[in-house]
């Protein structure tokens, strides 16, 4: 079954990297949602608690899953480089998938691309190749009094 799933994130934009032309930003995933009421609840909540410099970004994806899907699986790619004696962190996440196995398949495809291959200049903190998979509950977001 194919459904629309909504991703809500906060994004703090700092500029464009002069070296590769990519955006310099911090992203925080608020959650993935099917339920419109939960989307409105999360938006109201985070509008109150987000930093002034952050914007809330909403993305929709076609999501192939079972009728009773409770989680999404998200593939992340993270590494650091030392540039002019300082660490620069790089972070990317991909479209949500309905299973861990599908994330592994995506990872294996991405590893064929030069951008995602292991390079002696890349520093990987949490894995040997920069990739990790997170299981995220659908229609759920964390509440906090301050960040």
């Amino acid at each position: 079954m194919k459904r629309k799933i909504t991703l809500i994130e906060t994004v703090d934009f700092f500029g464009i990297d002069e070296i590769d032309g990519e955006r310099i930003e911090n992203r925080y995933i608020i959650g993935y949602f099917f339920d419109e009421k939960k989307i409105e609840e999360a938006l109201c909540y985070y509008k109150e608690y987000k930093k002034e410099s952050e914007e809330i970004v909403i993305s929709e994806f076609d999501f192939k899953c079972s009728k009773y899907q409770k989680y999404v699986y998200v593939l992340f790619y993270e590494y650091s480089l030392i540039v002019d004696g300082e660490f620069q962190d790089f972070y990317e996440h991909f479209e949500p998938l309905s299973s861990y196995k599908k994330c592994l398949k995506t990872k294996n495809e991405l590893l064929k691309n030069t951008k995602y291959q292991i390079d002696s200049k890349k520093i990987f903190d949490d894995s040997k190749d920069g990739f990790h998979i997170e299981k995220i509950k659908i229609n759920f977001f964390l509440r906090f009094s301050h960040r």
Side-chain angles (χ1 to χ4, degrees):
M1 152 182 218
K2 205 174 227 185
R3 303 170 73 177
K4 289 277 187 202
I5 193 163
T6 302
L7 163 63
I8 303 175
E9 302 175 278
T10 58
V11 178
D12 207 349
F13 177 71
F14 301 103
I16 302 294
D17 188 311
E18 294 174 9
I19 296 169
D20 61 12
E22 292 192 19
R23 292 170 57 98
I24 303 169
E25 60 193 9
N26 285 333
R27 289 177 132 358
Y28 174 76
I29 293 175
I30 293 171
Y32 290 87
F33 303 90
F34 289 135
D35 185 308
E36 289 294 324
K37 287 181 184 177
K38 283 289 185 187
I39 291 170
E40 287 305 315
E41 188 180 330
L43 288 172
C44 287
Y45 185 83
Y46 273 84
K47 282 179 184 174
E48 183 178 342
Y49 289 104
K50 73 177 185 65
K51 297 179 200 169
E52 191 172 314
S53 60
E54 291 176 319
E55 65 176 299
I56 294 175
V57 176
I58 300 170
S59 307
E60 282 193 346
F61 301 94
D62 288 327
F63 187 66
K64 191 174 181 180
C65 65
S66 73
K67 183 178 179 179
Y68 303 105
Q69 189 84 28
K70 292 182 181 180
Y71 296 93
V72 294
Y73 296 83
V74 181
L75 180 64
F76 290 82
Y77 181 65
E78 300 177 55
Y79 66 95
S80 300
L81 294 176
I82 298 176
V83 179
D84 297 328
E86 297 200 13
F87 283 92
Q88 288 187 1
D89 299 323
F90 297 85
Y91 162 92
E92 189 173 356
H93 63 83
F94 302 91
E95 288 192 21
L97 296 169
S98 60
S99 72
Y100 190 90
K101 186 176 178 180
K102 288 179 182 179
C103 283
L104 287 177
K105 183 178 178 185
T106 299
K107 172 188 162 180
N108 289 331
E109 288 300 313
L110 288 169
L111 283 169
K112 296 175 187 174
N113 182 323
T114 306
K115 178 179 177 179
Y116 300 105
Q117 291 176 351
I118 295 174
D119 179 328
S120 62
K121 295 175 186 171
K122 293 179 183 177
I123 301 165
F124 303 118
D125 291 332
D126 297 328
S127 70
K128 64 180 170 106
D129 58 11
F131 287 98
H132 72 275
I133 298 168
E134 289 189 23
K135 179 180 177 181
I136 301 172
K137 189 171 184 176
I138 298 170
N139 293 324
F140 176 81
F141 64 96
L142 290 177
R143 298 169 194 269
F144 48 81
S145 57
H146 61 288
R147 292 196 327 198

